Amino acid sequence: MNYVIVGNSVAAVGAIRAIRALDQDGTITVISRERHNAYGRPLISYLLGGLINEKRMSYLPEDFYEQNRINLLLNSEVVAVDSVAKKITLASGDSLPYDKLLLATGGDPFVPPISGLADKDRVFTFTTWDDAAKLKVISQDINRAVVIGGGLIGLKAAEGLNLLDKSVTVVELADRVLSSAFDRPAGKIVARKMKANGIDVITEDTVVSIEGNGREITGVTLKSGDFIPCDTVVVAIGVRPAAGFLKGSDIEINRGIVVDSSMATSAEGVYAAGDVAEAADFFSGQKNPMPIWPDAYIQGDIAGTAMAGGTKAYEGGLAMNSIEFFKVSTISMGVTNPRDPSEYEIHAFQDIQNYQYRKIVLQDNRLVGAVLVGNVDRAGIFSGLIREKIDMTPFKESLLLPEFGFINLSREIRDQLFAPQGKTSDTGRTQRAVGH
Amino acid sequence: MKRIYTIEDACIGCHLCEIGCITEHSLSKDPVKAFLHEKERPISRCTVEERDGGVISLSTTCRHCDEPDCLRACISGAIQKNAEGVVRIDREQCVGCWSCVMACPYGAIQRNLASKKANKCDLCPDRETPACVDACPNRALVYREGSQK
């Protein structure tokens, strides 16, 4: 079997491991636009801020590609897919045949039309290692930077620049930062911490024009009319599935590449996984692109399994993020900010002074979302409870306890869910075994 | 592979598994030195939970899942599964983002806030039987073969 994987990040790695678990003999070719082996993409803000060195960017052990017998083509871009002839075309003009193809090209940063943007030198995006490296190289010449976008990427870029002692202003269109992943109190806590560290946060406004002399930036003009002097602009509004190269192919694309529960696309033998894919949502079943690292791994694993002849079904993407801002831990998962709160039951505890917040969202007595700020210990128990759709009625009251754990659940649920190995004791008799 | 099983009915909530774990992961591997004299005391990788004033208790830790959610969530590649099936964290590589804490449905990964590194059970590579199992006075912890899922 001849496997070709386009993209070389976490979804590709999940797929490689799955393929090799089932097929030791097939050839695997991995093609990447980038010049690096797989790296921890969310680590780019740590790299920019000087918290880690380049060596620690590696996501994989050095011998991974060799061990898995991967034919790795770096600095190579796929420009077309012919799913009838079963071949792909590279920018170099070469073409490669495949039996099974995985499209795991990730996302491209979205850069909106802003007046003055095109002819300026120091406008950056912030999604790749090279983006961080470029910013780092010029960082000694940065005096003031404006970051457009107060989502996860924008705030991490701002934090990285702030760690280099640069003056940074974040401009966010919504009424608060982190509006998509978090709720109002959590956003407020993070914004408060950022301001305490010297980062300006402007909300309900946006950059309409980048001003300057020639290729040099002197500042930005906001929709409100305010002018912010700066010499560098980072555009961090979001990412879009990197599926442009599929134009003219017969692979169905909506916002991303549409996939079924085995990550198969509309074209035979072609699969997609990660930020480029549009797969079912855990709660609604509706298909959406979901740029979430763990989800990309899971999708890659499912796609690789299917490509190598196995079967595994995707249970739907559950949004989750764990991010630290200036040493304040934040974890959010599932439904954090329901549009119609009357359909949900919400419990919350907050101590904004001490950067502590805990919120639990239930629907029909099932846990559907959680936000934790400060004390995030054992947050994963909540993600397990969401995925297992457990009826929380008897122990709802305990969910906000800082020491919430298995002990708060019923014995039946502990035995059934959290000790699956207890069902296969050596004697063949169900042995109550919990925990370890 | 061998895994650690907890017999909840036998747990007396003595926390000796935690002490055994901390001692084993200390520099000296001596409980007195580890608790009183070492600069950076390890944190326990197993957690004793208690309710109703200790009437109900149980000890939980990593199950070394066949498909570990922690590994899939790890953004730095610090979490790896070896050929024997043991899931370990490379402390050098860990950046303390707590994605593993977010993902583990067993709540089995701890934050070491002093070192800003995630901690989890490594099944005590230097021992034949994990320290928590040896430390348990009531055989509430058993180390044996058995399937995970």
Side-chain angles (χ1 to χ4, degrees):
Chain A
M1 190 65 80
N2 176 24
Y3 305 94
V4 172
I5 298 174
V6 190
N8 183 33
S9 190
V10 61
V13 173
I16 291 167
R17 288 191 174 132
I19 292 169
R20 280 290 176 245
L22 297 171
D23 180 355
Q24 285 293 311
D25 303 323
T27 59
I28 303 178
T29 302
V30 173
I31 303 165
S32 171
R33 281 192 292 198
E34 295 188 65
R35 58 194 173 89
H36 307 281
N37 285 355
Y39 61 91
R41 195 170 293 278
L43 301 187
I44 63 172
S45 66
Y46 294 75
L47 183 70
L48 174 62
L51 299 176
I52 63 165
N53 59 22
E54 299 216 325
K55 195 175 157 267
R56 281 174 70 193
M57 291 295 285
S58 298
Y59 176 63
L60 298 166
E62 239 168 81
D63 60 356
F64 177 86
Y65 295 98
E66 201 190 315
Q67 285 286 321
N68 288 287
R69 299 174 305 287
I70 303 298
N71 172 27
L72 182 62
L73 305 179
L74 298 177
N75 283 313
S76 300
E77 188 164 359
V78 173
V79 292
V81 173
D82 183 339
S83 62
V84 177
K86 292 205 161 189
K87 67 180 176 74
I88 57 163
T89 309
L90 300 174
S92 62
D94 294 344
S95 67
L96 274 178
Y98 66 82
D99 297 319
K100 301 282 178 187
L101 175 68
L102 176 63
L103 304 170
T105 45
D108 284 327
F110 174 62
V111 180
I114 297 173
S115 143
L117 180 146
D119 52 356
K120 301 295 185 293
D121 282 333
R122 285 165 59 156
V123 177
F124 299 90
T125 53
F126 196 66
T127 60
T128 65
W129 182 338
D130 285 353
D131 288 341
K134 273 187 229 162
L135 266 172
K136 192 141 189 149
V137 164
I138 62 137
S139 65
Q140 59 222 51
D141 297 330
I142 299 176
N143 287 312
R144 285 195 72 166
V146 165
V147 175
I148 308 177
L152 294 165
I153 298 173
L155 295 196
K156 290 308 279 185
E159 186 187 26
L161 289 166
N162 177 274
L163 287 169
L164 297 171
D165 285 329
K166 306 300 169 188
S167 158
V168 186
T169 303
V170 175
V171 182
E172 165 60 42
L173 186 59
D175 63 351
R176 61 183 194 276
V177 297
L178 300 173
S179 60
S180 63
F182 289 81
D183 66 345
R184 195 176 299 269
K188 213 187 226 174
I189 291 174
V190 171
R192 192 167 165 263
K193 194 73 188 174
M194 304 200 83
K195 283 176 182 163
N197 280 275
I199 295 177
D200 280 334
V201 179
I202 296 172
T203 54
E204 292 180 271
D205 213 341
T206 188
V207 172
V208 291
S209 163
I210 299 177
E211 318 291 347
N213 308 312
R215 305 198 61 81
E216 212 166 277
I217 296 172
T218 53
V220 296
T221 301
L222 305 184
K223 195 175 176 196
S224 61
D226 287 356
F227 176 80
I228 305 169
C230 68
D231 49 53
T232 305
V233 171
V234 179
V235 182
I237 289 172
V239 292
R240 298 285 180 271
F245 66 104
L246 296 173
K247 249 181 213 149
S249 76
D250 59 354
I251 297 166
E252 186 193 348
I253 298 168
N254 186 19
R255 280 194 293 155
I257 304 170
V258 180
V259 292
D260 68 12
S261 65
S262 70
M263 297 295 132
T265 70
S266 61
E268 200 262 314
V270 182
Y271 297 77
D275 293 6
V276 76
E278 186 172 308
D281 178 80
F282 178 78
F283 298 110
S284 66
Q286 281 176 348
K287 292 183 180 180
N288 287 311
M290 188 182 285
I292 302 280
W293 183 269
D295 209 51
Y297 192 111
I298 292 166
Q299 291 187 4
D301 173 61
I302 288 169
T305 301
M307 290 162 74
T311 36
K312 250 187 208 179
Y314 187 55
E315 290 175 352
L318 179 61
M320 48 170 76
N321 286 287
S322 172
I323 312 261
E324 281 218 328
F325 295 103
F326 296 104
K327 296 185 182 156
V328 174
S329 304
T330 69
I331 288 180
S332 70
M333 55 180 72
V335 180
T336 56
N337 210 17
R339 216 169 289 161
D340 182 4
S342 66
E343 289 177 20
Y344 297 84
E345 181 180 341
I346 295 170
H347 300 270
F349 160 82
Q350 65 180 61
D351 175 2
I352 290 187
Q353 290 300 320
N354 293 306
Y355 304 108
Q356 296 288 327
Y357 179 56
R358 204 171 173 93
K359 173 183 181 176
I360 301 296
V361 183
L362 298 148
Q363 187 179 32
D364 300 330
N365 293 316
R366 263 67 176 173
L367 187 67
V368 293
V371 182
L372 304 174
V373 177
N375 175 16
V376 299
D377 294 318
R378 311 198 82 194
I381 295 178
F382 291 139
S383 60
L385 292 171
I386 294 173
R387 284 191 197 282
E388 299 293 341
K389 299 179 177 160
I390 303 290
D391 183 351
M392 306 297 293
T393 311
F395 23 83
K396 258 191 318 208
E397 306 310 318
S398 59
L399 286 167
L400 280 186
L401 295 173
E403 70 279 8
F404 175 81
F406 296 131
I407 202 101
N408 300 103
L409 306 174
S410 69
R411 180 67 182 259
E412 289 68 35
I413 290 171
R414 284 206 295 279
D415 287 349
Q416 167 206 336
L417 270 185
F418 299 113
Q421 65 275 57
K423 290 174 188 157
T424 54
S425 66
D426 294 338
T427 59
R429 186 170 54 86
T430 300
Q431 181 181 5
R432 282 186 167 171
V434 180
H436 281 262
Chain B
M1 69 177 287
K2 278 187 167 180
R3 290 189 168 98
I4 301 167
Y5 289 73
T6 299
I7 314 302
E8 182 179 334
D9 291 328
C11 178
I12 57 171
C14 66
H15 294 259
L16 285 173
C17 50
E18 295 178 347
I19 292 170
C21 179
I22 290 169
T23 304
E24 175 63 21
H25 294 94
S26 68
L27 284 174
S28 62
K29 303 204 177 195
D30 175 279
V32 177
K33 286 180 188 156
F35 277 76
L36 298 179
H37 304 304
E38 283 182 24
K39 228 195 278 170
E40 201 190 304
R41 188 201 294 176
I43 59 170
S44 175
R45 295 150 193 237
C46 51
T47 307
V48 176
E49 296 185 26
E50 290 175 69
R51 210 178 77 192
D52 303 341
V55 174
I56 309 173
S57 64
L58 61 98
S59 173
T60 75
T61 196
C62 173
R63 292 108 196 278
H64 299 275
C65 302
D66 293 336
E67 295 182 346
D69 287 316
C70 59
L71 184 154
R72 293 160 165 220
C74 177
I75 62 171
S76 70
I79 302 184
Q80 299 284 337
K81 193 170 175 68
N82 70 14
E84 288 77 49
V86 181
V87 179
R88 294 215 173 96
I89 298 182
D90 177 343
R91 278 174 62 89
E92 289 301 307
Q93 187 67 14
C94 176
V95 296
C97 72
W98 319 131
S99 294
C100 49
V101 173
M102 163 183 81
C104 173
Y106 302 106
I109 302 186
Q110 297 79 32
R111 295 188 297 157
N112 187 334
L113 293 173
S115 62
K116 216 182 166 318
K117 302 285 178 188
N119 267 272
K120 66 180 285 304
C121 165
D122 56 4
L123 287 178
C124 293
D126 299 342
R127 304 171 63 103
E128 239 171 65
T129 310
C132 57
V133 175
D134 279 346
C136 181
N138 208 30
R139 295 189 192 155
L141 300 179
V142 183
Y143 187 53
R144 62 166 172 77
E145 294 286 339
S147 69
Q148 171 66 25
K149 281 183 179 171

